[in-house]
Amino acid sequence: LDRAVAEGQAIASERLLREFSLTADADLEVAGLQIQLVGSFPGFGDAIPRLLVDVSTARRLLGELSFDRLAVLSAEPQQVAETLAQQFPDLDVQLSRPLRERALEIFDQTFAITRALTLLALLVACIGLYNGLLGLRLNQQPTLRLLDAMGVSAGEIRRIQLARGLGIGLAVIAFALPLGLVMGWLLCHVVNPRAFGWSLELLVAPLSLLLPVLLGLFVIAVTSLLPAPGEKLLEAAG
């Protein structure tokens, strides 16, 4: 939300909405109080459903409250932290940015094996692409012999092979990228909510897509320009 939750309003975790088959704008009755839902939040890692309410509603539900932390949103967080630390020496002041960076660093470390598997998958895909294009070239040996008999030079044949390979590669990329994005969306918004109770925001990183595209085009260019083993055998037989 872009505002504070008003009295009698609340935002619910996605786990709560899913377990109780609710929508983000439903009305709830909790301990005799009518509460209106005005939004939802993922609640990453929540073991139980959660409902965030305003202070007045929380007092009516739970009685006297005690607070052990306070969050401050400021354009100058470092200055605010220094001022609070000077005026309240016993106060434990922490900036959210370093905590967030440390949390993301730890989170990335847990996916080191995922990156290794991704690189392995790219290597296997490149080998499969090489074998596929190589098989296509070997099956077109009669066509190459016909072009050679018609006086087409070796350089022109290689340019034809390169253009054909790049055409096939671009067609595969044009099909694979949208399919990968659809699979990512399904994982974030369908599989993950059903498995864990919360969704993930899908962010498309252009640099992450650029690496496999460039690697695939490089493999296609190498496969198109290098002589195939069968070509040498055919030349020797001729």
Side-chain angles (χ1 to χ4, degrees):
L1 292 179
D2 56 357
R3 59 176 178 82
V5 177
E7 184 176 357
Q9 295 181 344
I11 56 177
S13 66
E14 292 182 351
R15 178 180 290 273
L16 185 145
L17 297 179
R18 182 172 180 80
E19 290 189 5
F20 292 93
S21 301
L22 298 173
T23 60
D25 57 353
D27 293 329
L28 300 178
E29 182 177 349
V30 181
L33 293 179
Q34 293 293 329
I35 299 178
Q36 178 189 8
L37 295 182
V38 293
S40 63
F41 62 95
F44 305 120
D46 284 348
I48 60 175
R50 283 201 299 157
L51 188 69
L52 301 183
V53 299
D54 65 286
V55 175
S56 299
T57 303
R59 285 198 177 101
R60 295 173 64 185
L61 291 172
L62 305 174
E64 191 62 29
L65 302 177
S66 61
F67 299 92
D68 59 358
R69 67 188 63 186
L70 173 67
V72 178
L73 181 63
S74 172
E76 300 291 339
Q78 186 65 41
Q79 182 178 355
V80 173
E82 293 176 356
T83 302
L84 291 175
Q86 291 175 359
Q87 297 189 4
F88 305 96
D90 296 334
L91 189 64
D92 184 14
V93 180
Q94 294 181 338
L95 296 176
S96 62
R97 183 181 295 275
L99 292 176
R100 176 181 176 84
E101 292 176 353
R102 180 56 179 165
L104 290 177
E105 181 181 350
I106 296 174
F107 189 77
D108 289 338
Q109 291 177 358
T110 62
F111 281 88
I113 185 64
T114 303
R115 288 192 291 271
L117 291 175
T118 300
L119 293 177
L120 181 61
L122 287 175
L123 178 60
V124 173
C126 290
I127 294 175
L129 185 60
Y130 175 84
N131 291 334
L133 291 177
L134 192 61
L136 178 63
R137 288 180 56 182
L138 293 177
N139 288 332
Q140 292 184 338
Q141 291 303 310
T143 303
L144 296 179
R145 288 187 178 278
L146 177 61
L147 292 176
D148 182 61
M150 294 173 60
V152 179
S153 65
E156 291 174 331
I157 291 178
R158 290 193 181 279
R159 285 194 292 270
I160 292 173
Q161 292 174 339
L162 179 61
R164 180 182 59 203
L166 291 177
I168 295 174
L170 291 175
V172 171
I173 291 171
F175 175 77
L177 286 182
L179 180 61
L181 293 176
V182 170
M183 291 182 63
W185 184 88
L186 290 175
L187 288 173
C188 291
H189 296 280
V190 178
V191 177
N192 208 74
R194 293 187 179 183
F196 302 104
W198 40 266
S199 63
L200 291 172
E201 183 180 0
L202 178 62
L203 297 177
V204 180
L207 292 179
S208 299
L209 299 178
L210 186 61
L211 175 61
V213 169
L214 294 179
L215 187 59
L217 292 178
F218 174 76
V219 172
I220 290 171
V222 171
T223 306
S224 301
L225 295 177
L226 287 179
E231 292 177 352
K232 295 181 180 179
L233 294 177
L234 291 175
E235 290 175 0

